[in-house]
Amino acid sequence: MPGTVKVGMPSKIKKSQNIRLLTFFASLCLYLSAIEYAIPKPLPFLRLGLANLPILLGLEVFPVATVLLLTLLKILLQAFISGTFFSYVFVFSLSGTLASSFAMIFVYKICTLPARMYGKAFGIVSFAGISVAGAFANNLAQIACARYLLFGENTKYIAPLLMVFGLVTGILLGLFCNAFASNSQWYKNCCFVCGKSVFAGGESLEENKKLHSFSTGENAEKAACGKKETFALFKFAFCMLSFALFIQIKNLYLLWGTVLFFFVLDEIIKKGRVKLLPSIIIVLSVTFFALLTPVGKVLFRIGSWKITQTSLEMGLHRSGFLVGMVFISQCAVDKNLRLPGKAGAFVAGVFYYFDLLVSEKIKFSRKNLVKSIDERLLKICAGGVE
């Protein structure tokens, strides 16, 4: 836990082992992002923060530069899962997660400063405090984005909800990290590894590489020749071109026609698994907030509330633009989209561990949740799942 760092601890992790451990932490971000995406939310950008757990735990495992790299990977993987590349949701995630990570790193460095300077840990703040600091920074960044991208001055109506929600989730996630860091053997291995691989029960890195050889750049290039990979590349290029044209559309009917086209295309490609509810919520909420500021011809009244044509068109155009970007993004992302070289090998490694994480359910114990999760992680890092 923060504030209990021992001076003289061995160097964090060698470069090759650092990359392997980073791969696993990135797969945890992907796994938790998938879980969080499946949980219904009142607003699309209102997140529980589950995917921030590996970043929070990574503060004691990795150097600052690696934590920031993990943060960027988390943002990209979260966008991959939710299909929100090039959309307003991605902007919210980018700004919020970066602000959160910088805040957590700053607080972590402050709370461990006595240990680094004097050799004594004063226990200034725990993971709970660091998590709350990150939650507040995340919410402030998202409120700023909501102010300029979505709701304008009406952001003041949702700001209290975001702050309270962030405080509660920040405390809960921080308390979980406190318990996990204190009782997890897997996490202790990650923090105190010294020349031995965390993976495969402490075998050497070279032996472990033989057990868990990821796809190399050569394998990735061969896989890219397959039909699925070729289709994924073609689809990605088509969506990028469509996105460039979509942002130029001014006509409301053409805009919503394009939105409908990509929704149908997504439904076909994903075989009816596109989630429509988040898009409906954003259309209703953005249009509603636009109508709060009456502009133009009055269409009708609801009591003293004027429903005006210009405000309605502005709300529908803005919400259509936001929803359209999500559908285009969902069409663009594909698990078969391959990258060549070391990047492709790293991505293959992330999906390798992701497959192990989702291959079978964790047998949770009500009395000892941490132990159940810890046993699962140790088993996966040891080379697979029974």
Side-chain angles (χ1 to χ4, degrees):
M1 287 175 58
T4 60
V5 179
K6 297 180 180 179
V7 175
M9 184 187 300
S11 59
K12 299 277 187 175
I13 299 172
K14 291 181 180 180
K15 183 178 179 180
S16 56
Q17 181 64 7
N18 200 334
I19 294 175
R20 180 166 292 276
L21 196 54
L22 176 64
T23 304
F24 188 73
F25 269 68
S27 70
L28 285 175
C29 287
L30 180 62
Y31 177 66
L32 293 173
S33 293
I35 293 176
E36 185 164 334
Y37 180 65
I39 299 174
K41 296 173 284 292
L43 292 173
F45 50 84
L46 199 64
R47 299 182 184 275
L48 295 174
L50 295 179
N52 286 329
L53 285 173
I55 298 174
L56 190 57
L57 292 171
L59 291 172
E60 285 202 4
V61 179
F62 300 113
V64 171
T66 307
V67 173
L68 292 175
L69 177 57
L70 178 62
T71 299
L72 293 176
L73 289 170
K74 177 258 182 183
I75 294 169
L76 294 174
L77 291 170
Q78 198 168 48
F80 178 91
I81 284 292
S82 59
T84 54
F85 280 116
F86 321 112
S87 74
Y88 73 97
V89 178
F90 181 77
V91 176
F92 274 81
S93 178
L94 178 65
S95 60
T97 303
L98 286 178
S100 175
S101 294
F102 279 117
M104 291 192 296
I105 290 171
F106 176 77
V107 175
Y108 174 76
K109 288 297 182 181
I110 292 298
C111 80
T112 56
L113 183 61
R116 297 194 301 274
M117 292 182 65
Y118 307 110
K120 296 181 180 180
F122 299 157
I124 297 175
V125 67
S126 70
F127 274 125
I130 296 174
S131 178
V132 170
F136 269 111
N138 176 79
N139 288 336
L140 289 175
Q142 292 202 348
I143 288 171
C145 287
R147 168 67 175 80
Y148 292 103
L149 294 180
L150 290 178
F151 305 127
E153 295 181 358
N154 295 312
T155 301
K156 60 185 178 183
Y157 296 114
I158 65 169
L161 172 64
L162 283 175
M163 298 304 293
V164 172
F165 188 81
L167 175 62
V168 173
T169 57
I171 292 174
L172 292 177
L173 293 176
L175 291 175
F176 171 79
C177 282
N178 283 341
F180 186 79
S182 298
N183 298 285
S184 169
Q185 183 58 48
W186 171 81
Y187 189 63
K188 288 182 175 65
N189 290 347
C190 292
C191 291
F192 299 104
V193 62
C194 181
K196 293 289 185 178
S197 175
V198 173
F199 301 82
E203 297 171 347
S204 68
L205 180 60
E206 292 302 319
E207 292 172 342
N208 190 47
K209 282 182 179 178
K210 293 178 182 179
L211 286 173
H212 298 302
S213 58
F214 295 153
S215 299
T216 61
E218 181 181 356
N219 290 335
E221 290 173 358
K222 289 180 180 179
C225 296
K227 293 182 179 180
K228 292 182 178 179
E229 288 77 8
T230 302
F231 175 72
L233 288 172
F234 172 79
K235 182 160 59 73
F236 183 81
F238 170 74
C239 290
M240 294 305 96
L241 176 61
S242 300
F243 177 78
L245 297 175
F246 180 73
I247 60 177
Q248 305 297 325
I249 296 177
K250 303 297 182 183
N251 184 276
L252 185 61
Y253 296 103
L254 179 59
L255 179 82
W256 275 97
T258 306
V259 171
L260 179 61
F261 169 78
F262 275 97
F263 168 71
V264 173
L265 187 60
D266 286 344
E267 280 285 297
I268 294 173
I269 294 174
K270 299 181 183 297
K271 299 179 180 180
R273 295 193 298 269
V274 177
K275 290 191 174 183
L276 190 57
L277 182 59
S279 296
I280 294 175
I281 292 174
I282 200 63
V283 170
L284 294 176
S285 60
V286 171
T287 304
F288 171 77
F289 280 109
L291 290 173
L292 292 179
T293 307
V295 177
K297 179 183 176 181
V298 177
L299 298 176
F300 57 91
R301 297 173 182 267
I302 301 178
S304 59
W305 183 21
K306 299 178 182 178
I307 306 299
T308 59
Q309 181 176 347
T310 303
S311 296
L312 179 61
E313 291 176 350
M314 288 175 59
L316 290 174
H317 192 281
R318 179 177 292 182
S319 61
F321 179 71
L322 298 175
V323 170
M325 288 193 295
V326 171
F327 288 148
I328 293 174
S329 296
Q330 289 179 338
C331 183
V333 297
D334 195 306
K335 66 179 181 180
N336 296 307
L337 189 62
R338 303 294 182 187
L339 297 173
K342 293 181 179 180
F346 183 84
V347 171
V350 171
F351 281 101
Y352 168 80
Y353 281 122
F354 177 76
D355 287 340
L356 291 180
L357 286 166
V358 300
S359 60
E360 65 179 47
K361 295 181 180 180
I362 299 176
K363 296 179 180 179
F364 290 111
S365 169
R366 293 183 180 180
K367 294 182 179 180
N368 202 332
L369 175 63
V370 170
K371 183 179 179 180
S372 301
I373 297 174
D374 190 48
E375 290 177 350
R376 177 68 171 171
L377 295 177
L378 285 170
K379 185 180 295 185
I380 291 173
C381 288
V385 185
E386 294 179 355

